[in-house]
Amino acid sequence: MYLTKDEERIYDGELGWAYQVSMRILVKLGDLYGAKRLIPIKSAHISGVSYKTIGDASMEFLRALVDSGGRVKVRATANPSGIDYENAAFTCLPSELVEKQREIIGLYRRMGVDTVLTCTPYYLE
């Protein structure tokens, strides 16, 4: 897949590990889908938010991204998390699940993600 000089610098790690690993994931996905190049974007939406979906390994990856300075470069929003902290019906869930979910949301916030927790962020514009 063709990369610009700036994209190559990211791929080679010149901006740090968080951006390097993210670029390498994008390139691998691009290769898998036959993309010829990356395209500019103005926003992104993250669907991997629920602990029940992503689990501990992905939480470790999110922590590593945050710890190495990873931040979103465009407006990014996040899907629902599976727990509504304002709804009393969710108080019966195991505390470990609730805390892990809270940590995931916090990690995304630390990366600059707008944790609106909706699957229809385009209605917020």
Side-chain angles (χ1 to χ4, degrees):
M1 187 164 82
Y2 171 79
L3 296 178
T4 66
K5 291 290 182 201
D6 287 338
E7 292 164 348
E8 284 179 1
R9 289 179 50 238
I10 297 167
Y11 187 89
D12 291 337
E14 290 184 32
L15 283 106
W17 179 83
Y19 299 103
Q20 180 183 36
V21 73
S22 298
M23 180 61 79
R24 288 183 178 222
I25 289 168
L26 288 173
V27 168
K28 182 57 101 175
L29 288 169
D31 288 344
L32 288 170
Y33 288 106
K36 298 199 182 326
R37 63 182 175 83
L38 296 173
I39 60 169
I41 62 169
K42 293 182 181 177
S43 64
H45 185 70
I46 299 167
S47 62
V49 177
S50 173
Y51 173 73
K52 293 298 277 182
T53 303
I54 69 171
D56 290 324
S58 294
M59 282 182 67
E60 289 176 30
F61 179 66
L62 290 173
R63 281 187 210 110
L65 288 173
V66 169
D67 291 346
S68 65
R71 303 258 318 148
V72 297
K73 296 292 186 179
V74 297
R75 181 171 189 260
T77 54
N79 241 14
S81 69
I83 296 176
D84 181 354
Y85 292 98
E86 296 176 16
N87 186 330
F90 287 89
T91 59
C92 64
L93 294 174
S95 61
E96 181 182 12
L97 171 67
V98 172
E99 286 312 307
K100 286 183 177 191
Q101 185 62 69
R102 193 179 313 275
E103 181 181 357
I104 291 168
I105 293 168
L107 289 165
Y108 279 125
R109 278 192 188 123
R110 288 175 57 195
M111 286 189 281
V113 174
D114 183 354
T115 53
V116 293
L117 305 179
T118 180
C119 57
T120 56
Y122 41 84
Y123 285 131
L124 300 175
E125 299 297 318

